[in-house]
Amino acid sequence: MSKDKVSDQTTGATRRKVLLGAASAGIGLAASGALPRVSFGDAQKYAGKSLNLLIIQPHVIAGRKLAADFEALTGAKVNVIAVPYDQLLAKATLDVQSGANQYDVIDYWFANVGAIGQDEITLDVTALIERDKAEIQPDDYLGSLYDPYTLYDGKRWGLPYDGDSHVLFFNKEIFDRHGLKAPTTWDEYLQTAKAITEAESKNGIYGAAVLGGKAPIIIGSTYANRLAGFGGSFLTPEGRSALDSAAAVEAAKALKDIVPYALPTPLETRFEEGLPAFLSGKAAIIEFWSDLGVYANDPKSSKIVDKWEVVRNPIGGSNKTPRLALNAGYVFGIASGSKQPDLAWDFIKFATGAKEQTDLLLTTASGIDPSRKSTLYSDAYKKFAPKVQNVLAGALENGLAWPTGPNSPQLQQSLADNLALILSGDKSPEQAIADTHKSWIGIIGA
């Protein structure tokens, strides 16, 4: 490493300490009620100021709602800057490391918290959470989410605001035509999809939409559903690769087996393609984020209103306990280059609070799923999305988390590359998982 690089890093670290000190000097806020909204004593205390929010494109509607609500409450204008979900980490990292410092709040995928923390892309907010815990109510976060989403190296780098997981949606009308029931095992899922595809593909209807797009967050989530279903894990308790397990291989086999009966072609099916296929009645089954239930009952976007059902993902092998995989999941952090971390922190507390979170859950196309107990079990959410709420209740508390260490992006990419080779037919499931396991050993060992 050159002396210049050392000097730059030292200067950056010093700047971050100054910024954190400024953030720690922010005002205290008050919260009240069962689903409290952070309130500001001076209703227009930030009038004339603006905030840049870097957010993924699927969260644009959520971002705009938060921006409007925050401006009405504080006078601050929030500029919502959207980027593709697979480019956000690179954009945020470049912004900090180049010194451009355009962003104030960053919307990061929880699996990247180790990389975010190691490179100090967002500020360490551990002390701020402790200071403001009466407002933040950290104990209200779902236990299986809070640490994986925010914790690295004993410090917290943001607050959760989107508690993502996949559940299994199916078209009840198509199922009824063929006398089928919701699959409870991956074998049943395969046979159900096969029966529908063989009977109806000539009409453009397929048994399943399988999200196999090459981005780790897409194809990795589809694999994670099966890994959890077969009782596997990504890592051992000691942090080593756990992909040498029978469950890891069986999950890969289940992924390969569904390809002939899936919407063509899985490698080109991201959520942008899978969602409209299911909503238009062209796919009978889809593993998807829980907010699909909101889309599905909106006649503006759905042709299957009241024709769908949802269940937890299947199990496989000797595993008898259904388990959700924590696929995606997003956090708001203070960009370490922000010149107004106090404003950024107030926005984050506001945006991740129970009241705003519940409002987002009730907003069609917000892309937001429960991250708090109070929102998951709120009467409003139960009434608005009863089917989905019933499936998530009691399940999110024990979700399978992805690796979150500093090397997680490399692990994700290695897995995604090998899974893509399974879908293309260029590697057997056994070889692909063995190669991924070997790669992970090298990455983690390094």
Side-chain angles (χ1 to χ4, degrees), residues 83-152:
V83 297
Y85 50 83
D86 56 348
Q87 295 179 23
L88 188 136
L89 179 61
K91 293 276 188 183
T93 301
L94 179 62
D95 180 64
V96 171
Q97 294 183 348
S98 69
N101 298 328
Q102 298 179 57
Y103 310 123
D104 298 292
V105 177
I106 291 172
D107 173 22
Y108 73 78
W109 178 22
F110 88 88
N112 292 333
V113 65
I116 289 280
Q118 183 180 63
D119 292 341
E120 295 183 295
I121 305 305
T122 65
L123 295 179
D124 168 14
V125 294
T126 311
L128 299 181
I129 293 172
E130 179 61 25
R131 186 197 71 186
D132 297 339
K133 63 182 178 182
E135 304 162 59
I136 295 167
Q137 301 177 351
D139 290 343
D140 185 39
Y141 283 113
L142 291 158
S144 66
L145 304 185
Y146 188 48
D147 283 356
Y149 276 39
T150 67
L151 192 63
Y152 166 68

Side-chain angles (χ1 to χ4, degrees), residues 61-407:
I61 289 176
R64 289 173 180 167
K65 173 172 172 46
L66 291 171
D69 291 350
F70 191 68
E71 182 174 5
L73 196 62
T74 69
K77 178 177 176 56
V78 179
N79 302 308
V80 179
I81 303 167
V83 297
Y85 50 83
D86 56 348
Q87 295 179 23
L88 188 136
L89 179 61
K91 293 276 188 183
T93 301
L94 179 62
D95 180 64
V96 171
Q97 294 183 348
S98 69
N101 298 328
Q102 298 179 57
Y103 310 123
D104 298 292
V105 177
I106 291 172
D107 173 22
Y108 73 78
W109 178 22
F110 88 88
N112 292 333
V113 65
I116 289 280
Q118 183 180 63
D119 292 341
E120 295 183 295
I121 305 305
T122 65
L123 295 179
D124 168 14
V125 294
T126 311
L128 299 181
I129 293 172
E130 179 61 25
R131 186 197 71 186
D132 297 339
K133 63 182 178 182
E135 304 162 59
I136 295 167
Q137 301 177 351
D139 290 343
D140 185 39
Y141 283 113
L142 291 158
S144 66
L145 304 185
Y146 188 48
D147 283 356
Y149 276 39
T150 67
L151 192 63
Y152 166 68
D153 195 28
K155 304 170 186 176
R156 298 197 187 273
W157 303 91
L159 289 176
Y161 93 104
D162 181 23
D164 281 331
S165 63
H166 277 185
V167 286
L168 194 76
F169 292 87
F170 65 94
N171 186 308
K172 184 172 58 175
E173 186 176 59
I174 296 175
F175 272 49
D176 288 348
R177 282 205 297 267
H178 299 279
L180 298 168
K181 296 180 180 180
T184 59
T185 69
W186 286 110
D187 282 343
E188 291 176 1
Y189 163 90
L190 175 63
Q191 294 308 314
T192 298
K194 179 181 179 182
I196 293 170
T197 297
E198 290 180 344
E200 303 212 30
S201 61
K202 61 182 179 294
N203 301 319
I205 296 173
Y206 295 86
V210 176
L211 305 187
K214 294 180 181 180
I217 202 170
I218 300 298
I219 195 170
S221 293
T222 299
Y223 177 72
N225 293 335
R226 288 154 179 77
L227 183 64
F230 280 91
S233 298
F234 288 106
L235 301 175
T236 68
E238 297 77 27
R240 301 187 182 96
S241 172
L243 297 184
D244 57 346
S245 67
V249 175
E250 290 302 314
K253 288 180 180 178
L255 181 59
K256 178 179 176 57
D257 290 345
I258 192 60
V259 172
Y261 314 112
L263 181 76
T265 62
L267 268 175
E268 298 173 1
T269 304
R270 303 161 299 171
F271 80 85
E272 297 95 327
E273 291 80 27
L275 178 62
F278 184 75
L279 295 179
S280 65
K282 298 300 183 182
I285 311 172
I286 190 170
E287 305 146 55
F288 207 85
W289 290 276
S290 56
D291 62 308
L292 186 152
V294 179
Y295 287 100
N297 262 2
D298 181 2
K300 294 178 182 178
S301 60
S302 174
K303 295 182 179 179
I304 59 168
V305 175
D306 296 327
K307 298 177 182 179
W308 61 276
E309 290 290 345
V310 59
V311 293
R312 293 184 186 177
N313 290 331
I315 57 176
S318 61
N319 182 41
K320 304 300 180 186
T321 306
R323 189 181 189 191
L324 299 184
L326 301 183
N327 297 330
Y330 282 82
V331 182
F332 278 149
I334 305 172
S336 61
S338 173
K339 299 176 179 64
Q340 43 193 359
D342 53 343
L343 172 56
W345 182 240
D346 278 352
F347 173 80
I348 290 171
K349 287 191 296 181
F350 168 80
T352 60
K355 174 63 169 65
E356 286 301 315
Q357 286 291 290
T358 301
D359 288 350
L360 291 175
L361 288 179
L362 309 185
T363 300
T364 299
S366 72
I368 303 304
D369 299 303
S371 60
R372 288 180 174 272
K373 300 168 192 172
S374 60
T375 57
L376 173 59
Y377 293 100
S378 69
D379 289 339
Y381 187 50
K382 290 178 182 178
K383 183 178 180 180
F384 184 71
K387 295 178 183 179
V388 172
Q389 193 279 338
N390 185 60
V391 169
L392 292 179
L396 276 175
E397 288 84 345
N398 187 39
L400 171 64
W402 291 39
T404 59
N407 51 24

Side-chain angles (χ1 to χ4, degrees), residues 417-434:
D417 290 344
N418 278 291
L419 293 175
L421 292 172
I422 294 175
L423 293 184
S424 68
D426 292 312
K427 275 190 183 181
S428 69
E430 294 86 350
Q431 188 61 54
I433 295 303

